[in-house]
Amino acid sequence: MAETRWLDEREQRAWRSLMTMQDGLAEFTERQLRNRCGLSGADYQVLAHLSEAAGGRLRSFELGELLRWEKSRLSQHLGRMQGRGLVTRERCRTDQRGAVVVITGRGSELIEAAAPQHVADVRAALIDHLTAAELETLATIGDKVRDRLAALGRDGLSVAAVDGAVAGGGQLERDDGAPADHAG
Amino acid sequence: MAETRWLDEREQRAWRSLMTMQDGLAEFTERQLRNRCGLSGADYQVLAHLSEAAGGRLRSFELGELLRWEKSRLSQHLGRMQGRGLVTRERCRTDQRGAVVVITGRGSELIEAAAPQHVADVRAALIDHLTAAELETLATIGDKVRDRLAALGRDGLSVAAVDGAVAGGGQLERDDGAPADHAG
């Protein structure tokens, strides 16, 4: 039976820090976008990608790849954005494989108004407070995770199986019998 | 009128890398938990905190603080978990301010089975592939963001206001007029 390698203190601190940062940044940027522009973070991402594409147009599957969203999630979200007049969808004349998503005038206005404030939020919460070395390390870590997740996706779900090991509580750090003050 | 400071290439790379890492890690760990244990990531967090508390019990507001969740989100989620037999809620005898949340036997079994697999996932996707220096930098960045978000919360929503600046597209990098291949 494989012994579970719980996270040590340093590993636990890094993992918890990343999780808390994720939650905090998402909550902050979502709230700012919603209060000031009436956009969700997902709306923002869609409009940003479209506004950067030639002619404000992208094939549906291309947009899905840029966002890394599942097809059903993309389709549902675009339906809602179309209902709000932010995008339209056209059938592609030269290819039967999917629709073309086009940003509307209203969508363009919203993203152009939102973008300067969003970048200011990103600077205020994160970017302006990191050193050049920290920026570089963050990008390096992101690259490693991307490569690992791609490999894990290829290998299926079996990678993290731990044969029959049922131990400890929910904590990820070493289980020394004492209640821990943080969770995984 | 304040000029928008778009992200430069290095800043853009770090920000995009963090966003993609967040999405990828959340998607991977959620999928693994759901497929193997029938737990969402949110379920896991709740059960992990309770399993680490003395007697498997926490005051509702304490749990909310550990999770950094809004009261309404916590209440709705605990209602669903109670319906599934994972937690119970008791009125607190000594204090009228709120209920006590208690992990059930079923909840304990699930988190004990899930934890070794979850820590293996976290190792496989991230922790085992970082150097000691990278782990340290990640924790340092997380601390900086936590402090900044706390300060921004105190200062309200005005911090990131950019007076009347409406410029560029949705991209966060410098706007040089050319379509960019990535979004904020």
PDB file of all heavy atoms in Angstrom, chain B residues 42 45-47 49-50 58-82 87 89 99 101:
ATOM      1  N   ALA B  42     -15.659  22.678  -3.528  1.00  0.00           N
ATOM      2  CA  ALA B  42     -16.232  23.401  -2.384  1.00  0.00           C
ATOM      3  C   ALA B  42     -16.581  22.430  -1.255  1.00  0.00           C
ATOM      4  O   ALA B  42     -16.303  22.702  -0.081  1.00  0.00           O
ATOM      5  CB  ALA B  42     -17.470  24.180  -2.816  1.00  0.00           C
ATOM      6  N   GLN B  45     -13.373  21.487   0.534  1.00  0.00           N
ATOM      7  CA  GLN B  45     -12.858  22.521   1.443  1.00  0.00           C
ATOM      8  C   GLN B  45     -13.622  22.523   2.759  1.00  0.00           C
ATOM      9  O   GLN B  45     -13.027  22.616   3.829  1.00  0.00           O
ATOM     10  CB  GLN B  45     -12.975  23.905   0.781  1.00  0.00           C
ATOM     11  CG  GLN B  45     -12.107  24.093  -0.453  1.00  0.00           C
ATOM     12  CD  GLN B  45     -10.640  23.937  -0.151  1.00  0.00           C
ATOM     13  OE1 GLN B  45     -10.139  24.356   0.883  1.00  0.00           O
ATOM     14  NE2 GLN B  45      -9.925  23.276  -1.048  1.00  0.00           N
ATOM     15  N   VAL B  46     -14.951  22.452   2.677  1.00  0.00           N
ATOM     16  CA  VAL B  46     -15.778  22.470   3.887  1.00  0.00           C
ATOM     17  C   VAL B  46     -15.429  21.274   4.771  1.00  0.00           C
ATOM     18  O   VAL B  46     -15.174  21.411   5.980  1.00  0.00           O
ATOM     19  CB  VAL B  46     -17.277  22.461   3.529  1.00  0.00           C
ATOM     20  CG1 VAL B  46     -18.131  22.197   4.771  1.00  0.00           C
ATOM     21  CG2 VAL B  46     -17.680  23.775   2.869  1.00  0.00           C
ATOM     22  N   LEU B  47     -15.413  20.085   4.172  1.00  0.00           N
ATOM     23  CA  LEU B  47     -15.146  18.870   4.953  1.00  0.00           C
ATOM     24  C   LEU B  47     -13.730  18.876   5.525  1.00  0.00           C
ATOM     25  O   LEU B  47     -13.503  18.420   6.646  1.00  0.00           O
ATOM     26  CB  LEU B  47     -15.366  17.623   4.086  1.00  0.00           C
ATOM     27  CG  LEU B  47     -16.809  17.373   3.634  1.00  0.00           C
ATOM     28  CD1 LEU B  47     -16.875  16.160   2.705  1.00  0.00           C
ATOM     29  CD2 LEU B  47     -17.748  17.200   4.822  1.00  0.00           C
ATOM     30  N   HIS B  49     -11.880  21.501   6.433  1.00  0.00           N
ATOM     31  CA  HIS B  49     -11.818  22.392   7.604  1.00  0.00           C
ATOM     32  C   HIS B  49     -12.497  21.753   8.805  1.00  0.00           C
ATOM     33  O   HIS B  49     -11.981  21.810   9.925  1.00  0.00           O
ATOM     34  CB  HIS B  49     -12.462  23.741   7.281  1.00  0.00           C
ATOM     35  CG  HIS B  49     -11.588  24.646   6.465  1.00  0.00           C
ATOM     36  ND1 HIS B  49     -10.393  25.135   6.932  1.00  0.00           N
ATOM     37  CD2 HIS B  49     -11.728  25.146   5.213  1.00  0.00           C
ATOM     38  CE1 HIS B  49      -9.840  25.903   5.998  1.00  0.00           C
ATOM     39  NE2 HIS B  49     -10.623  25.920   4.948  1.00  0.00           N
ATOM     40  N   LEU B  50     -13.657  21.151   8.603  1.00  0.00           N
ATOM     41  CA  LEU B  50     -14.373  20.534   9.729  1.00  0.00           C
ATOM     42  C   LEU B  50     -13.585  19.359  10.301  1.00  0.00           C
ATOM     43  O   LEU B  50     -13.500  19.183  11.524  1.00  0.00           O
ATOM     44  CB  LEU B  50     -15.765  20.063   9.292  1.00  0.00           C
ATOM     45  CG  LEU B  50     -16.790  21.164   9.020  1.00  0.00           C
ATOM     46  CD1 LEU B  50     -18.085  20.553   8.475  1.00  0.00           C
ATOM     47  CD2 LEU B  50     -17.087  21.969  10.294  1.00  0.00           C
ATOM     48  N   LEU B  58     -17.368  23.369  13.944  1.00  0.00           N
ATOM     49  CA  LEU B  58     -16.952  24.770  13.826  1.00  0.00           C
ATOM     50  C   LEU B  58     -18.189  25.664  13.871  1.00  0.00           C
ATOM     51  O   LEU B  58     -19.245  25.282  13.336  1.00  0.00           O
ATOM     52  CB  LEU B  58     -16.219  25.020  12.503  1.00  0.00           C
ATOM     53  CG  LEU B  58     -14.751  24.645  12.388  1.00  0.00           C
ATOM     54  CD1 LEU B  58     -14.288  24.828  10.941  1.00  0.00           C
ATOM     55  CD2 LEU B  58     -13.886  25.520  13.306  1.00  0.00           C
ATOM     56  N   ARG B  59     -18.052  26.808  14.488  1.00  0.00           N
ATOM     57  CA  ARG B  59     -19.104  27.813  14.385  1.00  0.00           C
ATOM     58  C   ARG B  59     -19.218  28.226  12.924  1.00  0.00           C
ATOM     59  O   ARG B  59     -18.217  28.333  12.212  1.00  0.00           O
ATOM     60  CB  ARG B  59     -18.747  29.039  15.246  1.00  0.00           C
ATOM     61  CG  ARG B  59     -18.665  28.733  16.754  1.00  0.00           C
ATOM     62  CD  ARG B  59     -20.049  28.672  17.359  1.00  0.00           C
ATOM     63  NE  ARG B  59     -20.706  29.946  17.211  1.00  0.00           N
ATOM     64  CZ  ARG B  59     -20.475  31.014  17.983  1.00  0.00           C
ATOM     65  NH1 ARG B  59     -19.619  30.937  18.978  1.00  0.00           N
ATOM     66  NH2 ARG B  59     -21.111  32.147  17.778  1.00  0.00           N
ATOM     67  N   SER B  60     -20.444  28.507  12.514  1.00  0.00           N
ATOM     68  CA  SER B  60     -20.692  28.836  11.123  1.00  0.00           C
ATOM     69  C   SER B  60     -19.830  30.021  10.658  1.00  0.00           C
ATOM     70  O   SER B  60     -19.230  29.992   9.576  1.00  0.00           O
ATOM     71  CB  SER B  60     -22.184  29.140  10.946  1.00  0.00           C
ATOM     72  OG  SER B  60     -22.460  29.441   9.623  1.00  0.00           O
ATOM     73  N   PHE B  61     -19.733  31.067  11.484  1.00  0.00           N
ATOM     74  CA  PHE B  61     -18.971  32.245  11.041  1.00  0.00           C
ATOM     75  C   PHE B  61     -17.465  31.957  10.984  1.00  0.00           C
ATOM     76  O   PHE B  61     -16.749  32.512  10.152  1.00  0.00           O
ATOM     77  CB  PHE B  61     -19.286  33.463  11.933  1.00  0.00           C
ATOM     78  CG  PHE B  61     -18.556  33.501  13.234  1.00  0.00           C
ATOM     79  CD1 PHE B  61     -17.318  34.142  13.341  1.00  0.00           C
ATOM     80  CD2 PHE B  61     -19.099  32.912  14.367  1.00  0.00           C
ATOM     81  CE1 PHE B  61     -16.647  34.176  14.554  1.00  0.00           C
ATOM     82  CE2 PHE B  61     -18.430  32.949  15.570  1.00  0.00           C
ATOM     83  CZ  PHE B  61     -17.193  33.588  15.663  1.00  0.00           C
ATOM     84  N   GLU B  62     -17.016  31.030  11.871  1.00  0.00           N
ATOM     85  CA  GLU B  62     -15.600  30.651  11.809  1.00  0.00           C
ATOM     86  C   GLU B  62     -15.297  29.914  10.505  1.00  0.00           C
ATOM     87  O   GLU B  62     -14.273  30.154   9.854  1.00  0.00           O
ATOM     88  CB  GLU B  62     -15.246  29.737  12.990  1.00  0.00           C
ATOM     89  CG  GLU B  62     -15.269  30.426  14.343  1.00  0.00           C
ATOM     90  CD  GLU B  62     -15.130  29.438  15.499  1.00  0.00           C
ATOM     91  OE1 GLU B  62     -15.728  28.334  15.442  1.00  0.00           O
ATOM     92  OE2 GLU B  62     -14.431  29.777  16.456  1.00  0.00           O
ATOM     93  N   LEU B  63     -16.185  29.010  10.150  1.00  0.00           N
ATOM     94  CA  LEU B  63     -16.021  28.282   8.893  1.00  0.00           C
ATOM     95  C   LEU B  63     -16.017  29.249   7.710  1.00  0.00           C
ATOM     96  O   LEU B  63     -15.187  29.135   6.793  1.00  0.00           O
ATOM     97  CB  LEU B  63     -17.147  27.244   8.746  1.00  0.00           C
ATOM     98  CG  LEU B  63     -17.120  26.346   7.520  1.00  0.00           C
ATOM     99  CD1 LEU B  63     -15.818  25.568   7.412  1.00  0.00           C
ATOM    100  CD2 LEU B  63     -18.319  25.387   7.528  1.00  0.00           C
ATOM    101  N   GLY B  64     -16.919  30.212   7.750  1.00  0.00           N
ATOM    102  CA  GLY B  64     -16.985  31.222   6.685  1.00  0.00           C
ATOM    103  C   GLY B  64     -15.686  32.001   6.563  1.00  0.00           C
ATOM    104  O   GLY B  64     -15.223  32.303   5.457  1.00  0.00           O
ATOM    105  N   GLU B  65     -15.073  32.306   7.713  1.00  0.00           N
ATOM    106  CA  GLU B  65     -13.808  33.058   7.673  1.00  0.00           C
ATOM    107  C   GLU B  65     -12.669  32.204   7.121  1.00  0.00           C
ATOM    108  O   GLU B  65     -11.839  32.688   6.361  1.00  0.00           O
ATOM    109  CB  GLU B  65     -13.453  33.558   9.076  1.00  0.00           C
ATOM    110  CG  GLU B  65     -14.262  34.788   9.466  1.00  0.00           C
ATOM    111  CD  GLU B  65     -13.929  35.287  10.866  1.00  0.00           C
ATOM    112  OE1 GLU B  65     -13.040  34.707  11.520  1.00  0.00           O
ATOM    113  OE2 GLU B  65     -14.576  36.251  11.295  1.00  0.00           O
ATOM    114  N   LEU B  66     -12.640  30.945   7.496  1.00  0.00           N
ATOM    115  CA  LEU B  66     -11.604  30.052   6.981  1.00  0.00           C
ATOM    116  C   LEU B  66     -11.714  29.903   5.469  1.00  0.00           C
ATOM    117  O   LEU B  66     -10.715  29.864   4.754  1.00  0.00           O
ATOM    118  CB  LEU B  66     -11.710  28.672   7.647  1.00  0.00           C
ATOM    119  CG  LEU B  66     -11.272  28.598   9.118  1.00  0.00           C
ATOM    120  CD1 LEU B  66     -11.697  27.278   9.735  1.00  0.00           C
ATOM    121  CD2 LEU B  66      -9.751  28.769   9.225  1.00  0.00           C
ATOM    122  N   LEU B  67     -12.952  29.816   4.993  1.00  0.00           N
ATOM    123  CA  LEU B  67     -13.175  29.627   3.557  1.00  0.00           C
ATOM    124  C   LEU B  67     -13.115  30.941   2.790  1.00  0.00           C
ATOM    125  O   LEU B  67     -13.012  30.945   1.574  1.00  0.00           O
ATOM    126  CB  LEU B  67     -14.549  28.980   3.319  1.00  0.00           C
ATOM    127  CG  LEU B  67     -14.738  27.556   3.840  1.00  0.00           C
ATOM    128  CD1 LEU B  67     -16.218  27.210   3.941  1.00  0.00           C
ATOM    129  CD2 LEU B  67     -14.039  26.568   2.917  1.00  0.00           C
ATOM    130  N   ARG B  68     -13.251  32.043   3.517  1.00  0.00           N
ATOM    131  CA  ARG B  68     -13.374  33.375   2.899  1.00  0.00           C
ATOM    132  C   ARG B  68     -14.578  33.452   1.976  1.00  0.00           C
ATOM    133  O   ARG B  68     -14.508  33.989   0.862  1.00  0.00           O
ATOM    134  CB  ARG B  68     -12.096  33.734   2.134  1.00  0.00           C
ATOM    135  CG  ARG B  68     -10.904  33.866   3.061  1.00  0.00           C
ATOM    136  CD  ARG B  68      -9.608  33.970   2.299  1.00  0.00           C
ATOM    137  NE  ARG B  68      -8.477  33.955   3.207  1.00  0.00           N
ATOM    138  CZ  ARG B  68      -7.719  35.016   3.473  1.00  0.00           C
ATOM    139  NH1 ARG B  68      -7.943  36.152   2.891  1.00  0.00           N
ATOM    140  NH2 ARG B  68      -6.725  34.926   4.322  1.00  0.00           N
ATOM    141  N   TRP B  69     -15.682  32.857   2.424  1.00  0.00           N
ATOM    142  CA  TRP B  69     -16.922  32.895   1.648  1.00  0.00           C
ATOM    143  C   TRP B  69     -17.899  33.881   2.253  1.00  0.00           C
ATOM    144  O   TRP B  69     -17.936  34.065   3.466  1.00  0.00           O
ATOM    145  CB  TRP B  69     -17.620  31.520   1.665  1.00  0.00           C
ATOM    146  CG  TRP B  69     -16.967  30.467   0.864  1.00  0.00           C
ATOM    147  CD1 TRP B  69     -15.808  30.556   0.149  1.00  0.00           C
ATOM    148  CD2 TRP B  69     -17.436  29.125   0.705  1.00  0.00           C
ATOM    149  NE1 TRP B  69     -15.529  29.351  -0.430  1.00  0.00           N
ATOM    150  CE2 TRP B  69     -16.508  28.459  -0.112  1.00  0.00           C
ATOM    151  CE3 TRP B  69     -18.555  28.425   1.178  1.00  0.00           C
ATOM    152  CZ2 TRP B  69     -16.666  27.125  -0.472  1.00  0.00           C
ATOM    153  CZ3 TRP B  69     -18.700  27.103   0.825  1.00  0.00           C
ATOM    154  CH2 TRP B  69     -17.771  26.468  -0.004  1.00  0.00           C
ATOM    155  N   GLU B  70     -18.729  34.456   1.411  1.00  0.00           N
ATOM    156  CA  GLU B  70     -19.836  35.290   1.873  1.00  0.00           C
ATOM    157  C   GLU B  70     -20.828  34.423   2.639  1.00  0.00           C
ATOM    158  O   GLU B  70     -20.974  33.233   2.366  1.00  0.00           O
ATOM    159  CB  GLU B  70     -20.566  35.915   0.684  1.00  0.00           C
ATOM    160  CG  GLU B  70     -19.712  36.757  -0.219  1.00  0.00           C
ATOM    161  CD  GLU B  70     -19.790  38.226   0.144  1.00  0.00           C
ATOM    162  OE1 GLU B  70     -20.803  38.628   0.731  1.00  0.00           O
ATOM    163  OE2 GLU B  70     -18.823  38.949  -0.147  1.00  0.00           O
ATOM    164  N   LYS B  71     -21.554  35.057   3.562  1.00  0.00           N
ATOM    165  CA  LYS B  71     -22.499  34.340   4.420  1.00  0.00           C
ATOM    166  C   LYS B  71     -23.562  33.590   3.598  1.00  0.00           C
ATOM    167  O   LYS B  71     -23.885  32.433   3.890  1.00  0.00           O
ATOM    168  CB  LYS B  71     -23.181  35.350   5.353  1.00  0.00           C
ATOM    169  CG  LYS B  71     -23.861  34.735   6.552  1.00  0.00           C
ATOM    170  CD  LYS B  71     -24.351  35.838   7.494  1.00  0.00           C
ATOM    171  CE  LYS B  71     -25.220  35.240   8.596  1.00  0.00           C
ATOM    172  NZ  LYS B  71     -25.775  36.289   9.471  1.00  0.00           N
ATOM    173  N   SER B  72     -24.101  34.241   2.575  1.00  0.00           N
ATOM    174  CA  SER B  72     -25.190  33.617   1.800  1.00  0.00           C
ATOM    175  C   SER B  72     -24.681  32.402   1.033  1.00  0.00           C
ATOM    176  O   SER B  72     -25.346  31.374   0.950  1.00  0.00           O
ATOM    177  CB  SER B  72     -25.801  34.632   0.835  1.00  0.00           C
ATOM    178  OG  SER B  72     -24.831  35.081  -0.081  1.00  0.00           O
ATOM    179  N   ARG B  73     -23.462  32.528   0.488  1.00  0.00           N
ATOM    180  CA  ARG B  73     -22.883  31.394  -0.240  1.00  0.00           C
ATOM    181  C   ARG B  73     -22.682  30.212   0.706  1.00  0.00           C
ATOM    182  O   ARG B  73     -23.000  29.065   0.381  1.00  0.00           O
ATOM    183  CB  ARG B  73     -21.547  31.823  -0.859  1.00  0.00           C
ATOM    184  CG  ARG B  73     -20.808  30.698  -1.572  1.00  0.00           C
ATOM    185  CD  ARG B  73     -19.479  31.182  -2.134  1.00  0.00           C
ATOM    186  NE  ARG B  73     -18.712  30.097  -2.732  1.00  0.00           N
ATOM    187  CZ  ARG B  73     -17.423  30.181  -3.051  1.00  0.00           C
ATOM    188  NH1 ARG B  73     -16.756  31.309  -2.853  1.00  0.00           N
ATOM    189  NH2 ARG B  73     -16.797  29.157  -3.586  1.00  0.00           N
ATOM    190  N   LEU B  74     -22.144  30.492   1.890  1.00  0.00           N
ATOM    191  CA  LEU B  74     -21.902  29.436   2.867  1.00  0.00           C
ATOM    192  C   LEU B  74     -23.213  28.761   3.264  1.00  0.00           C
ATOM    193  O   LEU B  74     -23.315  27.526   3.303  1.00  0.00           O
ATOM    194  CB  LEU B  74     -21.218  30.020   4.106  1.00  0.00           C
ATOM    195  CG  LEU B  74     -20.930  29.025   5.235  1.00  0.00           C
ATOM    196  CD1 LEU B  74     -19.921  27.972   4.797  1.00  0.00           C
ATOM    197  CD2 LEU B  74     -20.422  29.747   6.485  1.00  0.00           C
ATOM    198  N   SER B  75     -24.218  29.560   3.568  1.00  0.00           N
ATOM    199  CA  SER B  75     -25.495  29.025   4.038  1.00  0.00           C
ATOM    200  C   SER B  75     -26.131  28.115   2.982  1.00  0.00           C
ATOM    201  O   SER B  75     -26.600  27.014   3.282  1.00  0.00           O
ATOM    202  CB  SER B  75     -26.422  30.196   4.373  1.00  0.00           C
ATOM    203  OG  SER B  75     -27.692  29.713   4.714  1.00  0.00           O
ATOM    204  N   GLN B  76     -26.123  28.571   1.734  1.00  0.00           N
ATOM    205  CA  GLN B  76     -26.705  27.758   0.653  1.00  0.00           C
ATOM    206  C   GLN B  76     -25.931  26.464   0.469  1.00  0.00           C
ATOM    207  O   GLN B  76     -26.504  25.391   0.305  1.00  0.00           O
ATOM    208  CB  GLN B  76     -26.697  28.545  -0.665  1.00  0.00           C
ATOM    209  CG  GLN B  76     -27.757  29.632  -0.715  1.00  0.00           C
ATOM    210  CD  GLN B  76     -27.617  30.511  -1.949  1.00  0.00           C
ATOM    211  OE1 GLN B  76     -26.985  30.120  -2.924  1.00  0.00           O
ATOM    212  NE2 GLN B  76     -28.198  31.700  -1.897  1.00  0.00           N
ATOM    213  N   HIS B  77     -24.614  26.561   0.512  1.00  0.00           N
ATOM    214  CA  HIS B  77     -23.821  25.358   0.283  1.00  0.00           C
ATOM    215  C   HIS B  77     -23.990  24.355   1.419  1.00  0.00           C
ATOM    216  O   HIS B  77     -24.112  23.154   1.182  1.00  0.00           O
ATOM    217  CB  HIS B  77     -22.345  25.712   0.079  1.00  0.00           C
ATOM    218  CG  HIS B  77     -21.577  24.601  -0.541  1.00  0.00           C
ATOM    219  ND1 HIS B  77     -21.583  24.371  -1.903  1.00  0.00           N
ATOM    220  CD2 HIS B  77     -20.846  23.596   0.004  1.00  0.00           C
ATOM    221  CE1 HIS B  77     -20.878  23.288  -2.154  1.00  0.00           C
ATOM    222  NE2 HIS B  77     -20.417  22.798  -1.021  1.00  0.00           N
ATOM    223  N   LEU B  78     -24.006  24.848   2.660  1.00  0.00           N
ATOM    224  CA  LEU B  78     -24.190  23.946   3.795  1.00  0.00           C
ATOM    225  C   LEU B  78     -25.562  23.279   3.751  1.00  0.00           C
ATOM    226  O   LEU B  78     -25.705  22.113   4.136  1.00  0.00           O
ATOM    227  CB  LEU B  78     -24.019  24.715   5.113  1.00  0.00           C
ATOM    228  CG  LEU B  78     -22.598  25.172   5.440  1.00  0.00           C
ATOM    229  CD1 LEU B  78     -22.590  25.992   6.724  1.00  0.00           C
ATOM    230  CD2 LEU B  78     -21.641  23.987   5.552  1.00  0.00           C
ATOM    231  N   GLY B  79     -26.574  23.995   3.277  1.00  0.00           N
ATOM    232  CA  GLY B  79     -27.907  23.395   3.130  1.00  0.00           C
ATOM    233  C   GLY B  79     -27.878  22.201   2.193  1.00  0.00           C
ATOM    234  O   GLY B  79     -28.458  21.146   2.475  1.00  0.00           O
ATOM    235  N   ARG B  80     -27.165  22.362   1.081  1.00  0.00           N
ATOM    236  CA  ARG B  80     -27.070  21.252   0.122  1.00  0.00           C
ATOM    237  C   ARG B  80     -26.273  20.084   0.714  1.00  0.00           C
ATOM    238  O   ARG B  80     -26.628  18.924   0.542  1.00  0.00           O
ATOM    239  CB  ARG B  80     -26.417  21.736  -1.180  1.00  0.00           C
ATOM    240  CG  ARG B  80     -27.343  22.604  -2.033  1.00  0.00           C
ATOM    241  CD  ARG B  80     -26.793  22.787  -3.448  1.00  0.00           C
ATOM    242  NE  ARG B  80     -25.563  23.565  -3.468  1.00  0.00           N
ATOM    243  CZ  ARG B  80     -25.501  24.888  -3.552  1.00  0.00           C
ATOM    244  NH1 ARG B  80     -26.604  25.605  -3.653  1.00  0.00           N
ATOM    245  NH2 ARG B  80     -24.345  25.521  -3.568  1.00  0.00           N
ATOM    246  N   MET B  81     -25.190  20.403   1.424  1.00  0.00           N
ATOM    247  CA  MET B  81     -24.383  19.329   2.028  1.00  0.00           C
ATOM    248  C   MET B  81     -25.156  18.615   3.136  1.00  0.00           C
ATOM    249  O   MET B  81     -25.002  17.407   3.325  1.00  0.00           O
ATOM    250  CB  MET B  81     -23.061  19.896   2.564  1.00  0.00           C
ATOM    251  CG  MET B  81     -22.102  20.342   1.458  1.00  0.00           C
ATOM    252  SD  MET B  81     -20.520  20.980   2.086  1.00  0.00           S
ATOM    253  CE  MET B  81     -19.727  19.452   2.637  1.00  0.00           C
ATOM    254  N   GLN B  82     -25.984  19.355   3.860  1.00  0.00           N
ATOM    255  CA  GLN B  82     -26.820  18.740   4.890  1.00  0.00           C
ATOM    256  C   GLN B  82     -27.823  17.777   4.247  1.00  0.00           C
ATOM    257  O   GLN B  82     -28.025  16.660   4.738  1.00  0.00           O
ATOM    258  CB  GLN B  82     -27.552  19.839   5.681  1.00  0.00           C
ATOM    259  CG  GLN B  82     -28.287  19.322   6.906  1.00  0.00           C
ATOM    260  CD  GLN B  82     -28.659  20.453   7.871  1.00  0.00           C
ATOM    261  OE1 GLN B  82     -28.609  21.634   7.523  1.00  0.00           O
ATOM    262  NE2 GLN B  82     -29.026  20.076   9.090  1.00  0.00           N
ATOM    263  N   VAL B  87     -22.976  16.959   6.476  1.00  0.00           N
ATOM    264  CA  VAL B  87     -22.842  17.798   7.680  1.00  0.00           C
ATOM    265  C   VAL B  87     -24.210  17.923   8.338  1.00  0.00           C
ATOM    266  O   VAL B  87     -25.243  17.664   7.707  1.00  0.00           O
ATOM    267  CB  VAL B  87     -22.326  19.239   7.353  1.00  0.00           C
ATOM    268  CG1 VAL B  87     -20.963  19.191   6.672  1.00  0.00           C
ATOM    269  CG2 VAL B  87     -23.333  20.001   6.493  1.00  0.00           C
ATOM    270  N   ARG B  89     -26.300  20.789  11.168  1.00  0.00           N
ATOM    271  CA  ARG B  89     -26.195  22.106  11.797  1.00  0.00           C
ATOM    272  C   ARG B  89     -26.978  22.094  13.107  1.00  0.00           C
ATOM    273  O   ARG B  89     -28.108  21.642  13.150  1.00  0.00           O
ATOM    274  CB  ARG B  89     -26.714  23.195  10.854  1.00  0.00           C
ATOM    275  CG  ARG B  89     -25.713  23.500   9.742  1.00  0.00           C
ATOM    276  CD  ARG B  89     -26.143  24.644   8.866  1.00  0.00           C
ATOM    277  NE  ARG B  89     -27.155  24.219   7.899  1.00  0.00           N
ATOM    278  CZ  ARG B  89     -27.609  25.006   6.917  1.00  0.00           C
ATOM    279  NH1 ARG B  89     -27.169  26.238   6.807  1.00  0.00           N
ATOM    280  NH2 ARG B  89     -28.517  24.569   6.070  1.00  0.00           N
ATOM    281  N   ALA B  99     -25.184  29.167  14.172  1.00  0.00           N
ATOM    282  CA  ALA B  99     -25.228  27.723  14.335  1.00  0.00           C
ATOM    283  C   ALA B  99     -23.819  27.154  14.418  1.00  0.00           C
ATOM    284  O   ALA B  99     -22.828  27.825  14.124  1.00  0.00           O
ATOM    285  CB  ALA B  99     -25.957  27.103  13.157  1.00  0.00           C
ATOM    286  N   VAL B 101     -21.632  23.982  12.862  1.00  0.00           N
ATOM    287  CA  VAL B 101     -21.631  23.010  11.769  1.00  0.00           C
ATOM    288  C   VAL B 101     -20.807  21.805  12.208  1.00  0.00           C
ATOM    289  O   VAL B 101     -19.702  21.973  12.729  1.00  0.00           O
ATOM    290  CB  VAL B 101     -21.037  23.616  10.480  1.00  0.00           C
ATOM    291  CG1 VAL B 101     -21.229  22.666   9.303  1.00  0.00           C
ATOM    292  CG2 VAL B 101     -21.664  24.969  10.191  1.00  0.00           C
TER     293      VAL B 101
END
